Amino acid sequence: MAVAGPEIERLIQLLARLPGLGPRSARRAALHLIKKREALMTPLTSALQVAIDRIQVCKTCGNIDTQNPCTVCTDPRRDDAMIVVVADVADLWALERAKASNGRYHVLGGTLSPLDGVGPQDLTIDALVQRAHAAEVNEIILALNATVDGQTTAHYITDLLQEANVKITRLAHGVPVGGELDYLDEGTLSAAMRQRTLF
């Protein structure tokens, strides 16, 4: 049963499509936006319109920004010798938040997933191979998830880069910082044991 007019119900339904928001959270968010129309809804509407008009995909790395090439690609302080390969823009942003890399990035646009119908032609793998052959590049870091699809993608890319004169590395797998062994799954523990380092 609807408790508000169709316009408000539509706002709630649209908010409920956002990740992390269910119907109840969407109702709370909609109500908060309506109560704070001038302080929140008007600036949000303006920001969304700017996003629609100006945000684009970087032709070099696949990041999203209001300029093309993006801010990361045009930053002269970045290390051109290193390309960090990620599946999605969210992964790039996570690495940037952690200040984990000073290299360049390459966003694949997903991972290989035959069950979901995602093949090499659906990703930007060809562009990555082309970038890897540039004279200044000497390392490709595969920062892909430790899932079956992520590792399949990493192996596929590694095979394609055999001809390029680059070092191919991947993120370490194992015990997270602050992790307790008793709470970790068997796969994580096995990976940690295999990739142990000197103390």
Side-chain angles (χ1 to χ4, degrees):
M1 179 188 289
V3 294
E7 298 84 3
I8 295 174
E9 286 299 324
R10 176 161 163 67
L11 174 62
I12 293 166
Q13 289 170 2
L14 290 172
L15 288 171
R17 291 183 188 175
L18 295 172
L21 286 184
R24 291 177 68 192
S25 299
R27 284 193 182 284
R28 283 195 295 275
L31 188 57
H32 188 72
L33 286 170
I34 291 166
K35 285 181 180 178
K36 306 274 185 181
R37 251 181 280 187
E38 295 302 316
L40 284 176
M41 195 178 280
T42 302
L44 179 61
T45 303
S46 174
L48 287 170
Q49 190 59 55
V50 168
I52 290 167
D53 295 339
R54 297 192 52 211
I55 292 179
Q56 52 192 310
V57 176
C58 176
K59 64 185 176 193
T60 305
C61 74
N63 188 17
I64 56 173
D65 203 338
T66 55
Q67 65 183 46
N68 198 350
C70 71
T71 304
V72 175
C73 287
T74 56
D75 185 349
R77 296 168 297 178
R78 296 276 172 173
D79 184 358
D80 291 331
M82 181 190 326
I83 297 176
V84 182
V85 180
V86 294
D88 195 73
V89 173
D91 301 329
L92 185 156
W93 289 359
L95 289 169
E96 283 297 291
R97 259 194 329 271
K99 295 179 175 44
S101 171
N102 190 38
R104 302 291 178 184
Y105 288 95
H106 187 87
V107 180
L108 293 173
T111 53
L112 295 174
S113 180
L115 293 175
D116 296 323
V118 179
Q121 70 283 354
D122 301 310
L123 306 176
T124 61
I125 294 174
D126 290 340
L128 171 63
V129 172
Q130 187 176 354
R131 289 181 72 192
H133 281 84
E136 66 273 9
V137 176
N138 63 30
E139 183 179 8
I140 302 291
I141 301 171
L142 300 175
L144 301 172
N145 291 331
T147 60
V148 172
D149 290 345
Q151 295 310 298
T152 301
T153 307
H155 286 293
Y156 182 80
I157 290 170
T158 301
D159 289 343
L160 291 178
L161 293 178
Q162 292 304 315
E163 302 281 317
N165 187 25
V166 293
K167 176 171 69 170
I168 302 168
T169 58
R170 69 175 188 171
L171 297 183
H173 299 273
V175 179
V177 174
E180 295 183 31
L181 297 183
D182 188 37
Y183 294 106
L184 298 177
D185 64 276
E186 291 81 9
T188 301
L189 285 171
S190 296
M193 284 301 288
R194 283 193 309 274
Q195 297 176 36
R196 62 191 182 275
T197 58
L198 290 172
F199 190 63

